[in-house]
Amino acid sequence: NGFKCHCMSESHQRQLLLASENPQQFMDYFSEEFRNDFLELLRRRFGTKRVHNNIVYNEYISHREHIHMNATQWETLTDFTKWLGREGLCKVDETPKGWYIQYIDRDPETIRRQQEQERKKKQDLDDEEKTAKFIEQQVRRGLEGKELEQPVYTELNRENEEEKVTFNLNKGASTSIAATSKTSSVLGPNALKMVEGAVKRKESAHSSGQSKEKKKKSALDEIMELEEEKKRTSRRDYWLQPEIIVKIVTKKLGEKYHKKKAVVKEVIDKYTAVVKMIDSGDKLKLDQTHLETVIPAPGKKVMVLNGGYRGNEGILESINEKKFSATIIIDSGPLKGRRVEDIQYEDISKLA
């Protein structure tokens, strides 16, 4: 035992001498290890969610073989958090409850998917603008085709000062015409023209009412169809659903999981999934940017993950490889039996 203690003492002294000769080298090494392990835990455990830095740090130091912060270039966790923000590795912000950090995923595949989502979001906004312009044109066209009839007001004149002016307020065309003939000499030619014009307008409105109703109905049908199309193409930036089969596309988990298929068992906060590997049975927690949909063979069941038919199950009828789209038959809900064409690969996935 004395010999062992003597040998260990000499080895420890040599390490201290090496560290004293170049202390910066050892500090840089430990700092890099601390940073890499901390960021890997943040990425794997919390993804791109905003989280308190103490929560991440407490989970980090719970591992027995972690690098202590007093062996790094940072004296406190706050200094390390500020450094992550300056280096652009995380988004950091200070609140009354402390510092919060958010991991910035710079994986090329993640960036590509984010750009694709932005492109689709912009396309949806363009579709909404087109819909608004179309409705505005329909309203303007209806107003231009409508004849606005303004009433003509004239003075009420009496030819004989001693004669009384009488009004007949009885409803009905026959009594109105009779009253008009009796009081024409009293009301004067202007009032007579107004009554005759009202009768003519009523007759013309009755004769052309059917054609106007058809025009209004056709315009309304067009607007309703456009609204239905808008609802069908409405999209969201999250698509995960339980019991669908997905494929892991990230390489950060190693070749063991890359391009392997799994079943989504649970969806957390819309963007994160707990998946179970089909081949090994391992369970992983992954962000949706690290997953992609799986297209089965025709005749198999799929679930719609985005658009107006989101959440409906269907049967895959055919695949269009040139357009990266498919045709499905809705197999659930009130739309059962409806045939949907040109639905994108990423909007459907095989059901487990």
Side-chain angles (χ1 to χ4, degrees):
N1 289 336
F3 177 75
K4 288 182 179 179
C5 291
H6 178 72
C7 292
M8 291 177 65
S9 177
E10 288 184 353
S11 175
H12 183 64
Q13 287 178 359
R14 281 197 298 271
Q15 291 177 359
L16 289 176
L17 288 173
L18 291 174
S20 63
E21 289 176 1
N22 193 355
Q24 189 62 38
Q25 178 182 357
F26 284 88
M27 182 173 291
D28 292 342
Y29 171 77
F30 288 130
S31 298
E32 184 177 358
E33 287 291 318
F34 176 82
R35 180 200 64 192
N36 292 339
D37 293 343
F38 188 92
L39 288 176
E40 178 63 20
L41 173 64
L42 176 63
R43 181 194 64 79
R44 187 181 68 253
R45 178 70 175 80
F46 301 98
T48 56
K49 294 180 182 177
R50 180 174 173 268
V51 62
H52 200 287
N53 60 353
N54 266 326
I55 295 177
V56 185
Y57 183 70
N58 288 333
E59 188 164 340
Y60 169 76
I61 63 177
S62 64
H63 298 280
R64 296 178 58 183
E65 299 179 357
H66 71 276
I67 301 294
H68 289 264
M69 181 171 285
N70 56 12
T72 67
Q73 68 188 57
W74 304 284
E75 295 182 359
T76 63
L77 180 59
T78 300
D79 293 337
F80 177 62
T81 302
K82 292 179 180 179
W83 182 86
L84 290 176
R86 289 195 301 269
E87 293 296 319
L89 299 173
C90 296
K91 295 179 182 178
V92 301
D93 61 293
E94 185 179 12
T95 68
K97 296 182 179 180
W99 286 87
Y100 282 81
I101 57 178
Q102 185 178 0
Y103 179 71
I104 300 176
D105 194 345
R106 301 188 183 278
D107 183 54
E109 183 68 18
T110 302
I111 295 175
R112 185 191 68 80
R113 288 177 176 270
Q114 290 176 349
Q115 291 175 348
E116 184 69 16
Q117 290 175 0
E118 291 294 330
R119 184 186 66 80
K120 289 179 179 178
K121 190 179 295 184
K122 183 177 182 300
Q123 183 178 357
D124 293 340
L125 292 176
D126 293 341
D127 292 340
E128 290 180 1
E129 291 179 359
K130 290 179 182 178
T131 303
K133 287 182 180 180
F134 176 79
I135 295 175
E136 184 179 352
Q137 290 176 358
Q138 292 292 333
V139 173
R140 189 184 301 113
R141 193 178 303 168
L143 291 176
E144 290 176 355
K146 183 179 180 181
E147 297 180 0
L148 299 177
E149 299 172 348
Q150 299 292 338
V152 179
Y153 300 98
T154 58
E155 295 182 359
L156 186 61
N157 298 322
R158 287 190 300 182
E159 296 178 357
N160 188 355
E161 293 294 336
E162 295 180 357
E163 188 175 0
K164 295 181 179 180
V165 178
T166 59
F167 296 93
N168 193 335
L169 301 178
N170 292 331
K171 296 181 180 180
S174 60
T175 56
S176 298
I177 295 173
T180 303
S181 61
K182 291 180 180 179
T183 58
S184 59
S185 60
V186 179
L187 298 178
N190 290 333
L192 181 59
K193 289 180 180 178
M194 287 180 61
V195 175
E196 291 175 352
V199 174
K200 290 181 180 179
R201 285 196 300 270
K202 185 175 180 181
E203 292 175 354
S204 63
H206 179 71
S207 61
S208 62
Q210 188 176 0
S211 61
K212 287 183 179 180
E213 185 180 356
K214 288 182 180 179
K215 290 182 180 179
K216 289 181 180 179
K217 186 177 180 181
S218 62
L220 182 61
D221 288 341
E222 291 179 5
I223 295 173
M224 289 178 64
E225 290 175 0
L226 197 62
E227 286 296 324
E228 185 179 353
E229 179 68 16
K230 176 184 173 183
K231 181 180 179 181
R232 188 180 69 82
T233 57
S234 63
R235 305 185 61 81
R236 300 172 184 174
D237 60 349
Y238 55 90
W239 53 269
L240 291 171
Q241 293 282 354
E243 298 304 320
I244 63 171
I245 297 178
V246 293
K247 183 186 292 184
I248 298 176
V249 295
T250 180
K251 296 181 179 179
K252 295 183 178 180
L253 300 176
E255 294 297 328
K256 180 181 179 181
Y257 300 115
H258 185 233
K259 294 295 182 181
K260 298 296 177 65
K261 295 179 182 178
V263 179
V264 176
K265 290 299 182 182
E266 183 183 358
V267 179
I268 303 173
D269 295 334
K270 298 180 182 179
Y271 300 93
T272 306
V274 176
V275 301
K276 183 179 181 180
M277 304 303 299
I278 294 179
D279 53 359
S280 64
D282 296 345
K283 284 191 175 182
L284 303 174
K285 186 177 180 181
L286 296 170
D287 188 81
Q288 70 172 12
T289 55
H290 296 153
L291 303 169
E292 70 177 11
T293 59
V294 174
I295 306 301
K300 299 294 184 179
K301 296 196 71 172
V302 296
M303 176 173 284
V304 183
L305 308 176
N306 221 330
Y309 301 104
R310 177 187 179 95
N312 286 290
E313 298 180 3
I315 304 297
L316 183 64
E317 184 182 78
S318 61
I319 298 174
N320 189 333
E321 296 181 356
K322 294 182 179 179
K323 293 184 178 181
F324 300 100
S325 63
T327 299
I328 67 171
I329 305 296
I330 301 297
D331 195 40
S332 65
L335 302 177
K336 184 176 181 179
R338 176 172 292 189
R339 188 169 183 266
V340 183
E341 299 179 352
D342 293 331
I343 188 167
Q344 297 300 310
Y345 283 169
E346 58 194 19
D347 290 346
I348 58 174
S349 193
K350 182 179 179 181
L351 271 171

